[in-house]
Amino acid sequence: MSSPADDPLPPHPLSAGRSRPPRARRSLSREAIVTQALAILDAEGLDAVSMRRVADALGTGPASLYAHVANKEELLELLIDRVMSVVVVPPPDPERWQEQIKQLMRDGRDALAAHRDIARANMGVVPIGPNAIRIAEGMLAILRTAGVPKRVAALAADTLSLYIVAHAYEGTLWEKRLEGEGAHYAERLHDYFSSLPPDRFPHLSSMAAELIGDTDDGEERFEFGLDILVAGVDAAAKRAR
Amino acid sequence: MSSPADDPLPPHPLSAGRSRPPRARRSLSREAIVTQALAILDAEGLDAVSMRRVADALGTGPASLYAHVANKEELLELLIDRVMSVVVVPPPDPERWQEQIKQLMRDGRDALAAHRDIARANMGVVPIGPNAIRIAEGMLAILRTAGVPKRVAALAADTLSLYIVAHAYEGTLWEKRLEGEGAHYAERLHDYFSSLPPDRFPHLSSMAAELIGDTDDGEERFEFGLDILVAGVDAAAKRAR
DNA sequence: ACCTGAACACCGTTCAAGT
DNA sequence: ACCTGAACACCGTTCAAGT
């Protein structure tokens, strides 16, 4: 998960005697800090990504990071943008706009899901990094090219982004419960719903199976939301025209 | 914002000489702890709700709380359930199910919005308290009575709940930015989008006004999502039948 | 300009000891 | 059974001092 281009290299042997740049080697950089934060995120999860842990992994103290990032919030914004860099946006095709929107949303969800509970950090942030705006531009391009009015497209982009992040976050929570409380977590939840008094909770008690679903129905739940949202945007666009 | 019924009362004068219950007065209780946590939440926000602050406000140390709540997560779950207690669920009316769902979602959003950034805590939790299951039962009752199939109703309840919490949380973030960076935050964001190079970001740069909206268009954004989601559930239900 | 050690003001949780 | 003081192992951030 390391990004070799970001690692500081040892001095190149052929440049040994040559004139050095005026200031000594910069052992830290934004890139190196974000790369190290990503490694910790992937290995141990978001809670392990502290200024102290990142600094420690870089062989320095937490105060040193503040020469390169304003604070932890900025570090997390940079980390999110790094994670989002893998999402590619397609050239808009008005004939297939609904499928293009869905695929972009799946890709965004996958990018977040590939890095533990990074989605939790994304919840608390107005994403404004280079990749965030690149993806937002791509989503707006698909909607506008398909004839969705400006205001509807803007509202839709907002709602769709919210759904991606919220669903990715919900998925990590589910995983956390499963690993934390053993594989019987879903089973215990199912039993709890089933055991509710049917006179007061007729629906909850009889719908335990549907509410819990399989252990691995996150994909179906995500697609259900995708269908609903994209169909809703289509309807809103037609209404607005 | 205090709930007098939860405050420990001084000994009643008429009961002065009577036989006391076997153990000394219990100065702490779940109810008192949650009430104090709610007061701190309302006064200073979620970040101020720490075990130490709550204990301090109750005149004791943090360790004392652990006799009544398992950990901070449980305290936050109890707090969320307290906040949700104001939401009332209507008797299902199949003729008006879409409006009933929307109103229930507005009420849930309002309950969260009335207590600072409590929505952030709600993001990280599978709500299972008495009020959470009461509201879930009410939502499922509306959907099922209107003829929505079980599986669709279960998926819809999940997606709708996610939207309520995610939108409430997004709203608190916006407020935090506005108060933290002054009223010019929206203006600066608008200028940033406008200033993006139009050749690379034609849509973002030309849609700044639509994307930022008025300072107070949270209500419109929420209603937009409500329309889309409820219409989408209706379509999915019809497809499934 | 960049980096550092040390400190400040906090966290959640545990545990032995008290009543 | 309930409560407590003290400690453990952490946090993010600041600041004077170094180079």
Side-chain angles (χ1 to χ4, degrees):
Chain A
M1 210 50 48
S2 78
S3 177
D6 293 318
D7 290 331
L9 295 173
H12 192 284
L14 294 185
S15 70
R18 281 210 260 147
S19 73
R20 303 297 234 87
R23 64 163 127 57
R25 71 184 171 87
R26 300 153 94 264
S27 56
L28 291 179
S29 69
R30 277 178 162 242
E31 288 301 304
I33 290 169
V34 173
T35 298
Q36 199 56 250
L38 183 60
I40 295 172
L41 168 69
D42 288 339
E44 301 178 48
L46 186 63
D47 281 336
V49 181
S50 68
M51 300 299 272
R52 292 176 127 89
R53 288 276 278 106
V54 173
D56 207 56
L58 290 164
T60 182
S64 303
L65 306 185
Y66 287 85
H68 299 89
V69 295
N71 46 37
K72 190 182 179 183
E73 189 179 343
E74 188 179 59
L75 172 54
L76 290 180
E77 284 178 29
L78 293 169
L79 187 54
I80 289 162
D81 215 69
R82 173 79 70 89
V83 162
M84 281 300 181
S85 64
V86 298
V87 176
V88 299
V89 303
D93 175 0
E95 304 296 314
R96 301 177 53 251
W97 75 270
Q98 297 200 12
E99 181 50 40
Q100 286 192 316
I101 289 289
K102 286 182 183 177
Q103 192 54 47
L104 192 54
M105 292 177 72
R106 289 187 201 106
D107 290 348
R109 190 269 324 254
D110 290 346
L112 292 172
H115 297 278
R116 299 289 205 109
D117 46 353
I118 184 65
R120 192 173 81 227
N122 208 346
M123 290 293 316
V125 140
V126 180
I128 210 179
N131 284 300
I133 63 170
R134 179 178 59 81
I135 295 167
E137 173 69 21
M139 180 175 280
L140 291 173
I142 295 170
L143 292 168
R144 294 287 292 134
T145 304
V148 177
K150 276 192 175 182
R151 183 64 178 158
V152 176
L155 288 166
D158 185 66
T159 299
L160 299 179
S161 304
L162 192 60
Y163 182 72
I164 293 170
V165 179
H167 196 281
Y169 181 41
E170 204 191 34
T172 66
L173 281 177
W174 192 251
E175 277 166 36
K176 199 177 76 175
R177 307 279 161 163
L178 285 180
E179 86 185 26
E181 317 201 26
H184 296 300
Y185 176 68
E187 194 182 331
R188 294 201 297 113
L189 208 54
H190 181 283
D191 292 349
Y192 174 68
F193 285 139
S194 299
S195 71
L196 290 170
D199 53 327
R200 289 171 57 208
F201 304 100
H203 301 95
L204 271 180
S205 61
S206 71
M207 288 172 65
E210 287 82 4
L211 288 165
I212 309 298
D214 303 316
T215 352
D216 205 41
D217 69 341
E219 192 58 31
E220 185 187 352
R221 298 221 308 278
F222 185 67
E223 290 292 331
F224 177 82
L226 280 193
D227 283 343
I228 283 182
L229 287 168
V230 172
V233 171
D234 186 38
K238 282 176 176 140
R239 226 181 305 137
R241 281 195 302 252
Chain B
M1 210 47 51
S2 78
S3 179
D6 293 319
D7 291 331
L9 295 172
H12 192 284
L14 294 184
S15 71
R18 282 208 261 147
S19 72
R20 303 298 234 87
R23 64 165 127 55
R25 70 183 171 87
R26 299 151 95 264
S27 55
L28 290 179
S29 69
R30 279 180 162 239
E31 288 300 304
I33 290 169
V34 173
T35 297
Q36 198 56 249
L38 183 61
I40 295 171
L41 168 69
D42 288 340
E44 301 178 48
L46 186 63
D47 281 337
V49 181
S50 69
M51 300 299 272
R52 291 177 127 89
R53 289 277 278 106
V54 173
D56 207 56
L58 291 164
T60 183
S64 302
L65 305 185
Y66 287 85
H68 299 89
V69 295
N71 47 38
K72 188 182 180 182
E73 189 179 343
E74 189 180 59
L75 172 53
L76 290 180
E77 284 178 30
L78 293 169
L79 187 55
I80 289 161
D81 215 68
R82 173 78 71 86
V83 162
M84 280 300 181
S85 63
V86 299
V87 176
V88 300
V89 302
D93 176 0
E95 304 296 315
R96 300 177 53 252
W97 75 270
Q98 297 199 11
E99 182 51 40
Q100 286 192 316
I101 289 290
K102 286 182 183 177
Q103 192 54 47
L104 192 55
M105 292 175 72
R106 289 187 201 107
D107 290 347
R109 190 269 323 255
D110 290 345
L112 293 172
H115 297 279
R116 300 288 205 111
D117 47 353
I118 185 65
R120 191 173 79 227
N122 208 345
M123 289 294 317
V125 139
V126 179
I128 208 177
N131 284 300
I133 64 171
R134 180 177 59 80
I135 295 166
E137 173 69 22
M139 180 174 281
L140 291 174
I142 295 169
L143 293 168
R144 293 288 292 135
T145 304
V148 176
K150 276 191 175 183
R151 183 64 177 159
V152 175
L155 289 166
D158 184 67
T159 299
L160 299 179
S161 304
L162 192 60
Y163 182 72
I164 292 169
V165 179
H167 196 283
Y169 181 41
E170 205 191 32
T172 67
L173 281 177
W174 192 251
E175 277 166 35
K176 199 176 76 177
R177 306 280 160 163
L178 284 179
E179 86 184 25
E181 316 200 28
H184 297 299
Y185 176 68
E187 194 183 331
R188 293 201 297 112
L189 207 55
H190 181 283
D191 291 348
Y192 174 67
F193 284 139
S194 299
S195 70
L196 290 170
D199 53 327
R200 288 172 57 207
F201 304 101
H203 300 95
L204 271 180
S205 62
S206 71
M207 287 173 68
E210 287 82 3
L211 287 165
I212 309 298
D214 302 316
T215 353
D216 207 40
D217 70 338
E219 191 60 30
E220 185 188 351
R221 297 221 308 278
F222 184 65
E223 290 292 331
F224 178 81
L226 280 193
D227 283 343
I228 282 182
L229 287 167
V230 173
V233 171
D234 186 40
K238 282 174 177 142
R239 226 181 304 137
R241 282 195 301 254

